[in-house]
Amino acid sequence: AHTIPAPPLYCRMNLLRATVRTGVICRHLISSSQIKTQNCAMSSSSEDEVLFETVLSPSCHSNYCLITMNRPKALNSLNYNMIQLMTPKLREVEKDDNIHFVVVRGNGGKAFCAGGDIRTLTEVGRTDDPLVSNFFHGEYSLNYLIGTLKKPYIAIIDGITMGGGVGLSVHSPFRVATETTTFAMPETAIGLFPDVGGGYFLPRLKGELGMFLALTGHRLKGRDVQHAGIATHFISREKIPDLLSEFSKACDDHEIPTNSYDVIHTLLDRFHAESSGVDPREFSLSTYFDDINRCFSGNSVEEIFEELRKTDSEWSKQQLDKLHKMSPTSMKVTHRQLKEGHHLSFAECFTMEYRLALRSMEGKDFYEGVRAVLVDKDNSPKWDPPTLEGVTKEMLDHYFSPLGEDQELYVA
C-alpha cells in the first residue's frame, strides 16, 4: 500500500473530553468490554450532532476520547455547528494529560461522513451571509488541527467517506477502512474542487493516482481504500467493537504516556493482520496504473483529454465519458490546485483552498452543479463556460489570486 506523507508536524493538538455543558454526566458500561464511560448528555439537538465521550481504561486511571458524528439521517454530513463543537473540544483535550488519544467514528452504520453540508451553502452563498466564509474558514482550520494534533487521532472511516468526511480523516496518522468504506472526492461533478486539504494529500499519492481521483471522482471501496494509501489499515467491520475495547485496555499500557503512537500502531497492525481474509483482493486499479500515470500527467486538462483519446481503450473511453460531464472550470481549477499543492506546505494548501472556495461561491457552476445533482437530480448541469477552451488563464488566475489581507486564511 502507498501512504500519504504526513504534514510536518503531524502530531499536534488533541481531542476532546466529555465536559458537562447543561446536561448531566451519565456513567454506563460498554458491555463488550466492561469499560466505564463518561458520556455527556447534551441539552439540545444541535449539541447532539457530535457526541463526546471519555472512555476510561480498566484501571480507571487513564482514558481516551471517543467522538461520534451523529447526523445519521444526513449520512453524518458536516455542518457549521459540528465544526464549532469539534474544534474547541480538540483544543481542550490537547491540554488534558489523562487523555492519551482520540478515536473518531460516524453513527448509523452507513457513513463516517458523506461530505459537507453543501445544500445549505448554496442556499446562502449568493447573499452576504457570513456563514459561507465562516464555514470554510472553520472547516479548513479544523482539518489543519486534525493533521497537526500532538496526540494520536484514529479515524474509523466505516461506510461513506467523501468530501468533508475525508477532511476529518485523511490528515490523521491512523485511518481505518472496513469492507463497507466508500471513498471519493466527487467535487468536479458539482462545480467545486477537492478541498479539505485535497491539494496536499492527493498529489502525494503514488504517481498520478491523486489527479485521476480528483478529476474523475472515481470511487474506491473496501480494501482499495487502503491499497491506494487513503487508509493506513484495513479492519473488518465486525472487529470494530473489539478494537474499541482494546483501545481502552491500551490506555493502561505503561508505554502509552511516552510512546502512544507506537502502542496504537502495534494494536492496529494486529487487527489489520487478523482481517487479512476479508476482501483480500488486489488493488482494482493496478491494471490501469500505467495508463493513469501516462494520461493524467499532462500539464493541462486539455493534454489529459488528448492522451486519453490517443490511448483509445475501453477504459480511456470510460474516463473521457466521465470527464465530459464535469464542470470545465472545476477541472481546470482542480488540475492547477494539485500541481501547485505538490510544492506547498500543509498550511499553505489551506490558504490556497480558502481562496478557491470563496471564488467558487462567486461563480455559477457550484450552484448549478448542486441543483443538477442534489436538488432537481436531473444530472444535466449547464456549465458556464461549457467548454475547457472557455476557461481562460485570466479566469484561473482570479481563482488563485490573494484575497484582501484581512480576508485570508492562515491556519499556522
Side-chain angles (χ1 to χ4, degrees):
H2 311 291
T3 58
I4 304 167
L9 301 175
Y10 236 144
C11 308
R12 217 192 235 164
M13 318 194 126
N14 208 325
L15 204 61
L16 1 333
R17 125 177 137 214
T19 55
V20 182
R21 290 170 94 77
T22 55
V24 297
I25 292 182
C26 304
R27 283 190 177 265
H28 63 278
L29 295 177
I30 299 178
S31 59
S32 63
S33 59
Q34 299 296 295
I35 303 171
K36 290 183 179 179
T37 310
Q38 292 178 322
N39 183 25
C40 282
M42 300 298 189
S43 62
S44 71
S45 60
S46 64
E47 290 176 326
D48 284 342
E49 289 180 337
V50 184
L51 304 178
F52 306 107
E53 301 174 64
T54 297
V55 182
L56 301 180
S57 69
S59 73
C60 295
H61 293 311
S62 62
N63 48 67
Y64 75 88
C65 180
L66 178 63
I67 302 176
T68 304
M69 288 173 287
N70 191 38
R71 298 184 68 209
K73 292 183 179 179
L75 299 177
N76 299 318
S77 61
L78 184 69
N79 61 26
Y80 187 49
N81 176 64
M82 295 166 73
I83 294 168
Q84 289 180 303
L85 290 172
M86 291 181 70
T87 301
K89 289 293 184 180
L90 283 166
R91 291 177 174 145
E92 181 182 320
V93 172
E94 178 187 21
K95 302 174 183 178
D96 193 329
D97 292 337
N98 291 319
I99 295 180
H100 297 297
F101 54 89
V102 178
V103 178
V104 184
R105 64 179 178 177
N107 191 20
K110 293 183 179 180
F112 170 73
C113 173
D117 187 10
I118 57 176
R119 290 190 66 165
T120 298
L121 291 178
T122 60
E123 290 170 3
V124 301
R126 286 184 167 133
T127 70
D128 292 329
D129 195 318
L131 174 62
V132 173
S133 58
N134 288 344
F135 177 86
F136 288 118
H137 192 288
E139 183 182 28
Y140 298 169
S141 297
L142 176 58
N143 298 153
Y144 181 78
L145 179 60
I146 289 168
T148 55
L149 289 173
K150 290 179 180 176
K151 298 178 184 178
Y153 178 107
I154 304 104
I156 300 177
I157 52 174
D158 182 42
I160 300 169
T161 305
M162 299 183 183
V166 175
L168 296 178
S169 56
V170 75
H171 305 300
S172 63
F174 303 110
R175 292 97 61 191
V176 177
T178 74
E179 63 271 30
T180 70
T181 302
T182 298
F183 163 92
M185 296 296 282
E187 288 82 4
T188 57
I190 58 168
L192 203 55
F193 63 96
D195 61 343
V196 298
Y200 185 84
F201 82 86
L202 286 167
R204 287 165 175 81
L205 296 176
K206 183 184 179 183
E208 298 298 331
L209 178 60
M211 186 67 76
F212 166 75
L213 295 173
L215 291 178
T216 66
H218 181 83
R219 296 187 176 193
L220 298 172
K221 297 184 178 182
R223 182 77 67 168
D224 273 356
V225 181
Q226 190 246 332
H227 285 318
I230 302 299
T232 58
H233 295 80
F234 178 92
I235 297 175
S236 172
R237 171 185 262 195
E238 68 177 14
K239 290 184 175 292
I240 298 301
D242 291 337
L243 177 64
L244 294 176
S245 299
E246 290 299 311
F247 280 147
S248 174
K249 296 175 185 177
C251 291
D252 281 337
D253 191 307
H254 70 279
E255 293 190 2
I256 199 76
T258 56
N259 295 305
S260 57
Y261 284 87
D262 290 341
V263 172
I264 297 301
H265 203 291
T266 299
L267 178 58
L268 292 176
D269 283 352
R270 173 162 66 85
F271 273 80
H272 175 81
E274 292 173 357
S275 300
S276 60
V278 179
D279 191 13
R281 61 199 167 97
E282 296 297 316
F283 192 19
S284 64
L285 291 176
S286 294
T287 304
Y288 307 108
F289 240 104
D290 288 344
D291 288 336
I292 288 173
N293 288 337
R294 184 182 65 258
C295 295
F296 285 84
S297 63
N299 292 319
S300 68
V301 179
E302 288 88 346
E303 285 187 19
I304 292 173
F305 271 62
E306 183 58 30
E307 200 60 44
L308 285 169
R309 292 189 191 98
K310 288 195 294 187
T311 300
D312 195 27
S313 66
E314 186 61 31
W315 174 84
S316 66
K317 291 176 182 177
Q318 291 174 355
Q319 307 320 308
L320 279 170
D321 286 343
K322 284 184 186 179
L323 294 175
H324 279 301
K325 298 175 183 177
M326 306 304 184
S327 159
T329 300
S330 289
M331 286 191 288
K332 284 200 169 185
V333 167
T334 296
H335 181 271
R336 181 165 164 179
Q337 172 201 6
L338 267 61
K339 291 293 188 182
E340 293 194 7
H342 184 71
H343 304 288
L344 296 178
S345 70
F346 189 45
E348 288 169 339
C349 279
F350 289 110
T351 298
M352 171 182 66
E353 291 181 7
Y354 186 64
R355 294 170 182 172
L356 299 180
L358 296 192
R359 295 285 162 51
S360 295
M361 296 301 102
E362 296 172 357
K364 299 178 181 178
D365 278 7
F366 176 55
Y367 305 97
E368 175 61 11
V370 171
R371 179 206 65 76
V373 175
L374 298 177
V375 181
D376 297 339
K377 299 182 180 179
D378 57 28
N379 293 307
S380 298
K382 303 297 186 292
W383 303 124
D384 183 17
T387 64
L388 290 172
E389 294 73 21
V391 184
T392 65
K393 181 180 182 301
E394 289 72 25
M395 293 169 62
L396 280 180
D397 287 344
H398 174 65
Y399 271 82
F400 286 83
S401 64
L403 304 170
E405 185 59 34
D406 60 340
Q407 295 177 299
E408 296 278 21
L409 170 63
Y410 299 111
V411 291

